[in-house]
Amino acid sequence: MLTSTDFSGLLNQRFFQNLLPVPATNSLKLGHRTPDFELPDLNNGKLVRLSNYRGDRPVVVAFTRIFTEKQYCPFCFPHIKALNENWEKFADRNIELLMVTSTDERQSQIVVRDLSLKMPLLSDPSCQVFRAYQVGQALGAPLPAQFVLDADGKLLFKHLFSFIDHNASVETLLKSIPQ
């Protein structure tokens, strides 16, 4: 019996806006603040503003690549699972872990449920925050990247996607934050 992959929901406005490859050109400098943003958290049903964490705790902002609620980037899916499985390691060190996706609210809610996400999943279907962080794009979605901010909101570490090194590991992200 032949089965086909379900591509419904893939060909949307976001797909066509991110179709052409744009390399990551991130110019954010270590020791400086990154762009502020406010996005809905589909896991907790509230708005999250990055600057609200300043003066409180370090933050890991993990931009991930999910095409639709049914299609995950093969490089990002294991990373999403690893972050989710190790969420307590971040929480135990009072580090906020924010995952940002370009899926819309409906798709993101399905992702939260299907993966039993513990961390906030922030929805940015317009890709404005992805563009503000200059992570690049290809084949219908922004590229993944990870940014680690200290408790004052200053950039400690950044990792941009490459085919050689897709995503920063949980260990790398945790090591980038002094204890």
Side-chain angles (χ1 to χ4, degrees):
M1 174 179 190
L2 278 173
T3 60
S4 63
T5 303
D6 182 354
F7 290 105
S8 64
L10 182 62
L11 301 177
N12 56 24
Q13 182 179 357
R14 181 206 56 193
F15 177 85
F16 292 107
Q17 286 177 336
N18 292 284
L19 182 61
L20 298 176
V22 174
T25 58
N26 185 279
S27 60
L28 299 175
K29 296 187 180 358
L30 296 180
H32 291 85
R33 287 197 173 145
T34 60
D36 193 18
F37 60 80
E38 183 176 80
L39 293 171
D41 172 5
L42 281 297
N43 198 357
N44 299 309
K46 60 183 179 178
L47 284 176
V48 170
R49 178 175 287 282
L50 180 62
S51 58
N52 287 347
Y53 296 102
R54 288 185 193 147
D56 182 36
R57 68 183 100 169
V59 178
V60 173
V61 181
F63 290 92
T64 193
R65 191 170 157 92
I66 302 172
F67 296 106
T68 75
E69 72 281 10
K70 298 176 185 97
Q71 285 105 21
Y72 294 87
C73 164
F75 302 119
C76 294
F77 185 69
H79 191 246
I80 296 167
K81 290 185 62 137
L83 289 174
N84 195 49
E85 290 166 3
N86 289 281
W87 176 82
E88 287 84 4
K89 290 180 182 178
F90 292 92
D92 289 347
R93 289 187 48 196
N94 196 32
I95 301 167
E96 188 65 44
L97 178 57
L98 302 174
M99 182 164 287
V100 182
T101 179
S102 62
T103 50
D104 64 29
E105 290 191 21
R106 182 192 62 77
Q107 292 169 323
S108 297
Q109 288 170 339
I110 293 168
V111 169
V112 166
R113 184 189 69 231
D114 287 353
L115 298 182
S116 301
L117 290 184
K118 301 170 197 170
M119 65 197 132
L121 182 66
L122 309 182
S123 176
D124 180 27
S126 70
C127 303
Q128 288 180 329
V129 177
F130 282 91
R131 286 190 183 88
Y133 279 73
Q134 305 163 339
V135 300
Q137 65 185 40
L139 303 173
L143 295 172
Q146 297 80 44
F147 297 87
V148 178
L149 313 177
D150 68 12
D152 294 321
K154 294 180 181 166
L155 186 61
L156 293 173
F157 172 84
K158 65 180 174 180
H159 180 276
L160 304 174
F161 174 83
S162 77
F163 283 106
I164 296 169
D165 192 10
H166 315 128
N167 290 289
S169 70
V170 169
E171 295 76 24
T172 299
L173 294 171
L174 287 169
K175 282 182 196 173
S176 68
I177 303 170
Q179 291 194 17

